[in-house]
Amino acid sequence: TQLLEQSPQFLSIQEGENLTVYCNSSSVFSSLQWYRQEPGEGPVLLVTVVTGGEVKKLKRLTFQFGDARKDSSLHITAAQPGDTGLYLCAGALGNAGNNRKLIWGLGTSLAVNP
Amino acid sequence: GAVVSQHPSRVICKSGTSVKIECRSLDFQATTMFWYRQFPKKSLMLMATSNEGSKATYEQGVEKDKFLINHASLTLSTLTVTSAHPEDSSFYICSARDPAPGTSLYNEQFFGPGTRLTVL
């Protein structure tokens, strides 16, 4: 069974704090994506990382893909209440291609308190 | 671009009835759509992959006779929960890949807003 372990599952922090969410696997992914989901809505794609060691920034969010393409992290700087939501990582196995299902992490439920 | 809609957004039904949920790609044609089930504050559980013009591929443990999927056109896939029971109550979400060059290059999926099903 392919697994994508995501941690922590729950996180409650104060506004202004920094946080990091991790996704780890023993499998190598051709790409890995991060999504954010708000209650009662579908997930929204934040970023896709493809190259080992790749770092992408989206405002206060920094995404990193591990050198071996087995793990990824999401770091949020100076979290704000608007960052509250469920963060999901998802990896695509095998060779790059557009006909593969994604392997999903368990999700990190983040609450940023004002 | 890459907008996916779902209908209805919320449905309440009696036990034993069937419920149909529609998933539409609004501005692109989707040869592949996915149906997920999600519990509160939990991750997505893939139920099946819906392929236009062919039978859906169900994940292990998902009853294909209970969760009927039809992908009759390039913009519409439907999920029918047959003889629904309270344990089928959940948030059902569909997603699709946009085949436009560079959009789903790395298997990115675009999600509908979800359907909250409550079976009494």
Side-chain angles (χ1 to χ4, degrees):
Chain A
T1 304
Q2 296 99 359
L3 285 176
L4 190 52
E5 297 180 357
Q6 188 172 342
S7 64
Q9 276 195 282
F10 299 95
L11 192 56
S12 180
I13 61 173
Q14 293 300 120
E15 182 176 0
E17 292 184 4
N18 303 330
L19 67 116
T20 303
V21 178
Y22 300 93
C23 274
N24 297 289
S25 177
S26 57
S27 300
V28 176
F29 295 104
S30 58
S31 67
L32 193 140
Q33 298 145 37
W34 285 91
Y35 294 81
R36 178 170 169 266
Q37 183 181 22
E38 297 196 25
E41 298 181 10
V44 175
L45 178 68
L46 295 175
V47 77
T48 301
V49 286
V50 179
T51 307
E54 182 177 7
V55 177
K56 283 191 173 179
K57 291 193 175 184
L58 190 64
K59 296 183 180 179
R60 294 176 292 100
L61 277 61
T62 302
F63 304 86
Q64 186 164 6
F65 203 12
D67 291 341
R69 290 184 290 135
K70 294 182 179 181
D71 55 87
S72 182
S73 63
L74 157 60
H75 182 79
I76 301 179
T77 304
Q80 299 177 0
D83 296 326
T84 294
L86 181 68
Y87 290 82
L88 297 158
C89 61
L93 293 172
N95 296 325
N98 61 358
N99 197 29
R100 297 186 181 278
K101 64 182 181 184
L102 297 175
I103 306 300
W104 291 86
L106 292 180
T108 296
S109 181
L110 170 65
V112 182
N113 307 301
Chain B
V3 178
V4 177
S5 71
Q6 261 182 262
H7 179 80
S9 59
R10 188 180 294 268
V11 58
I12 301 173
C13 68
K14 293 182 179 179
S15 185
T17 60
S18 294
V19 175
K20 180 184 284 187
I21 302 170
E22 293 185 347
C23 178
R24 293 181 184 273
S25 55
L26 297 185
D27 52 358
F28 66 101
Q29 293 182 329
T31 54
T32 302
M33 290 184 172
F34 302 89
W35 285 96
Y36 292 89
R37 184 173 179 176
Q38 186 178 34
F39 294 100
K41 295 190 177 181
K42 298 296 183 182
S43 187
L44 304 175
M45 184 184 77
L46 180 65
M47 298 174 66
T49 302
S50 172
N51 302 296
E52 187 271 334
S54 64
K55 292 182 178 180
T57 302
Y58 289 82
E59 294 300 299
Q60 191 172 7
V62 178
E63 299 176 58
K64 57 183 67 177
D65 293 332
K66 178 158 187 68
F67 299 100
L68 300 177
I69 292 173
N70 187 303
H71 194 159
S73 78
L74 287 171
T75 60
L76 174 64
S77 175
T78 60
L79 167 68
T80 301
V81 183
T82 63
S83 187
H85 288 94
E87 57 265 29
D88 298 324
S89 298
S90 193
F91 193 53
Y92 292 88
I93 313 177
C94 70
S95 70
R97 289 202 185 106
D98 183 348
T103 303
S104 289
L105 185 62
Y106 298 107
N107 298 286
E108 293 90 338
Q109 294 180 18
F110 298 91
F111 288 84
T115 297
R116 171 72 59 193
L117 171 63
T118 302
V119 184
L120 303 176

